[in-house]
Amino acid sequence: MAPARLPATLSPGMTVRAVALALLVSAGPALADDAAALALADDPPAAPAAPAKPQDWRMFVESAMGQTTARQDGSVLGQQRLSLDLQWDSKFAPGWRGVLSDRLDVGWVHRFSDSTAVNSLREAYLSWQPAADNIVDAGRINAHHGVATGYNPTDYFRSGANRSVVSVDPASLKQNRLGTVMLRAQALWNGGSLVGTFSPRLADAPSDASFSVDLGATNNRHRALFALSQRIAEGIDPQWLLFAEEGRPPQLGLNLAALLNQSTVGHLEWSGGRSRSMLSQAVTGIDDGAFRSAPTLQLRHIARARSTCVRPRAMAGFRVSLAATAARAWRLWRRPPPTARRPCGRAARRPGGSFERTDGPARASPRASRSTADGSFAARSRSR
């Protein structure tokens, strides 16, 4: 049987149909891709994922161990500490917010039977916001003004507030101190605010009971504070304060923060008014009242590290306290700022679960246990 053959020549109509069919076959995938692209462009954009809601509760447990050697006889005493920290901050109703912050420190010296427990109710208050520019708070509030670390003359509610001292780090002392029972009202506007605070006298003396709320340490006299903030220029936000305290003359305060450049921030805290000298308050008791000032200047520089073995951003700073004695001021001035560049080291875990690089041996935690010369647990010490 002879095989079928195509004709040697095609008619003009057949030629046009064959070419059109070939073009359609070759353009099929491109047309399909264009159609898919047009359909994708016509679809509405996907809604952004909702941000994760922060947890209302936060709790962490911290433990520390150490030993103390007595200078007199060389005896060694072991120490252990266990701390439980609990914080709650929640908006439980429209315009209403509740805050609770508590810390329990339990320490043992030599034997577990020799234990001491100190509970610090740092904050417990309700906040009501009837309007977007008005806020009213009532309860125990850890209120502090000014951002200087260490000595801050405008932090008027710091006296007697540290009930349990487990670290001498200024940030830890400010965070873990007792709040003051007060009524606070705030009015906000564009670029400024006005805050009025009244703290009543609720007790006469501090309490040494383990689970006392210790109102005598923070509310042993009537106090009032007014703070006015207003932005006067880009990067300059001063705050003026007027503080009145039962049995003492009123004090004026100023907090000023300025952005000096892209890496340096300057802080100035100043408090002035008629008061007795520190020597008179601590030792002699002589009434040598006069107008005295207590300024503090602090510079913070943020350096960007180029090496992969250092943190991307580090902070170094120094402060000069004109209210200190001449010798102390000179030591503070000569003290070199901590270096911003840190070599590679091992990872140390913070109480919150994050990690930071440390160099060399393990550093003490910001809340590391502090021992006294006789080996007793130092959680009962106070600062005045």
Side-chain angles (χ1 to χ4, degrees):
M1 184 176 181
R5 294 184 179 180
L6 293 175
T9 60
L10 296 176
S11 62
M14 294 179 62
T15 303
V16 173
R17 287 194 296 271
V19 173
L21 180 60
L23 292 175
L24 288 175
V25 171
S26 61
L31 293 176
D33 295 341
D34 293 342
L38 292 174
L40 182 61
D42 293 338
D43 292 340
K53 182 181 179 181
Q55 295 291 333
D56 297 337
W57 292 89
R58 189 178 70 173
M59 181 180 67
F60 67 86
V61 179
E62 181 182 87
S63 62
M65 299 179 63
Q67 66 179 16
T68 302
T69 303
R71 293 182 178 180
Q72 293 80 3
D73 54 2
S75 60
V76 178
L77 293 177
Q79 296 183 96
Q80 300 84 31
R81 177 175 59 85
L82 181 65
S83 300
L84 176 63
D85 196 296
L86 175 65
Q87 299 180 26
W88 174 74
D89 189 339
S90 175
K91 293 183 178 180
F92 56 88
W96 288 91
R97 171 172 166 255
V99 177
L100 175 66
S101 179
D102 188 86
R103 180 183 176 94
L104 175 63
D105 296 302
V106 182
W108 298 270
V109 178
H110 189 58
R111 294 185 299 270
F112 284 100
S113 58
D114 302 332
S115 63
T116 57
V118 179
N119 187 78
S120 302
L121 182 60
R122 297 174 298 197
E123 288 188 309
Y125 68 92
L126 291 176
S127 180
W128 177 46
Q129 188 172 5
D133 53 356
N134 293 308
I135 304 175
V136 179
D137 305 321
R140 168 165 273 184
I141 305 172
N142 187 359
H144 47 80
H145 298 80
V147 295
T149 58
Y151 176 70
N152 187 349
T154 59
D155 192 7
Y156 294 111
F157 293 100
R158 69 183 183 275
S159 177
N162 290 108
R163 190 165 194 259
S164 176
V165 178
V166 295
S167 173
V168 294
D169 178 41
S172 176
L173 293 175
K174 181 178 290 187
Q175 178 185 0
N176 293 318
R177 72 187 188 187
L178 297 176
T180 305
V181 178
M182 64 177 61
L183 177 64
R184 182 174 64 184
Q186 306 179 51
L188 311 175
W189 60 83
N190 186 18
S193 65
L194 176 63
V195 181
T197 303
F198 174 70
S199 174
R201 178 166 55 88
L202 302 177
D204 296 329
S207 173
D208 292 332
S210 297
F211 293 90
S212 172
V213 295
D214 206 358
L215 297 178
T218 58
N219 290 81
N220 52 19
R221 54 193 179 276
H222 297 296
R223 289 178 289 183
L225 175 67
F226 294 93
L228 174 64
S229 302
Q230 181 60 55
R231 179 178 300 173
I232 59 178
E234 186 66 25
I236 302 179
D237 302 286
Q239 183 184 54
W240 295 271
L241 301 100
L242 175 61
F243 177 69
E245 187 175 15
E246 181 182 7
R248 298 181 182 179
Q251 303 290 312
L252 298 176
L254 172 64
N255 295 324
L256 178 62
L259 183 63
L260 304 181
N261 54 45
Q262 295 298 325
S263 302
T264 308
V265 180
H267 307 288
L268 173 64
E269 277 80 24
W270 172 86
S271 179
R274 186 176 179 82
S275 62
R276 294 189 301 165
S277 64
M278 295 184 180
L279 180 63
S280 174
Q281 297 180 36
V283 181
T284 63
I286 301 175
D287 186 8
D288 57 351
F291 187 90
R292 290 181 169 87
S293 297
T296 294
L297 173 64
Q298 184 176 90
L299 299 178
R300 295 187 180 184
H301 179 75
I302 302 176
R304 295 183 180 274
R306 298 179 180 178
S307 173
T308 57
C309 294
V310 267
R311 297 167 58 187
R313 296 173 68 87
M315 180 174 293
F318 64 91
R319 71 176 186 272
V320 180
S321 176
L322 301 181
T325 61
R328 177 172 175 78
W330 176 249
R331 288 195 302 268
L332 289 174
W333 180 258
R334 295 188 60 188
R335 182 180 304 168
T339 177
R341 299 181 60 85
R342 302 169 59 183
C344 294
R346 64 184 192 84
R349 185 159 188 165
R350 294 175 177 173
S354 59
F355 289 85
E356 65 173 346
R357 305 290 298 180
T358 59
D359 36 323
R363 298 184 305 166
S365 168
R367 297 185 178 89
S369 177
R370 187 182 69 171
S371 61
T372 57
D374 58 355
S376 60
F377 186 60
R380 308 298 298 183
S381 60
R382 299 175 182 273
S383 64
R384 289 286 180 184

